[in-house]
Amino acid sequence: MRVIAKSTLRKFWEQPAYRDAQGPLESWHDEALKSAWNSRQAVKDQFRSASICGNNRVVFNVAGNKYRLVVEMQYRSGIAWVKFIGTHEQYDKIDVETVNEY
């Protein structure tokens, strides 16, 4: 998959409060780059704890479920578009299907 954009992940982990997210987010990014997700089921096969949502959104639990990563999957074109990364508290305030904070 092509991930858009690692810089979004980097901006998050470079914040002092979220430095512990760097390793887990880099691991997720590396796994996503190696993957060829062509369906929701392909994502679930690799990440069983991922939540499949509407509008082609997938929510990944990051850093032992400390953070939530919302990605819009464009399966045909092989793109995973990062739409949101944040804590559970921040996640609870968004609409997964429309969030576009990057």
Side-chain angles (χ1 to χ4, degrees):
M1 298 296 287
R2 181 172 162 216
V3 178
I4 302 175
K6 187 173 183 177
S7 62
T8 303
L9 303 176
R10 186 178 300 114
K11 284 178 193 174
F12 182 76
W13 79 56
E14 285 179 344
Q15 297 175 65
Y18 309 127
R19 292 205 191 275
D20 62 333
Q22 181 175 356
L25 285 172
E26 285 183 324
S27 293
W28 177 87
H29 184 264
D30 291 346
E31 287 297 312
L33 289 176
K34 295 178 207 170
S35 299
W37 298 318
N38 57 9
S39 68
R40 291 180 251 166
Q41 188 58 51
V43 175
K44 286 294 283 184
D45 289 347
Q46 187 169 353
F47 288 95
R48 297 205 185 278
S49 65
S51 298
I52 306 300
C53 302
N55 202 21
N56 290 320
R57 303 290 175 101
V58 179
V59 179
F60 295 92
N61 299 319
V62 178
N65 206 18
K66 185 173 182 180
Y67 303 109
R68 294 280 176 98
L69 173 63
V70 178
V71 177
E72 180 181 318
M73 304 302 287
Q74 296 175 7
Y75 297 107
R76 287 187 183 171
S77 55
I79 296 172
W81 195 306
V82 174
K83 295 296 182 177
F84 171 86
I85 177 69
T87 65
H88 276 269
E89 184 179 340
Q90 294 162 337
Y91 171 83
D92 288 342
K93 296 176 183 176
I94 66 162
D95 179 345
V96 171
E97 295 183 15
T98 61
V99 69
N100 206 20
E101 296 179 23
Y102 48 85

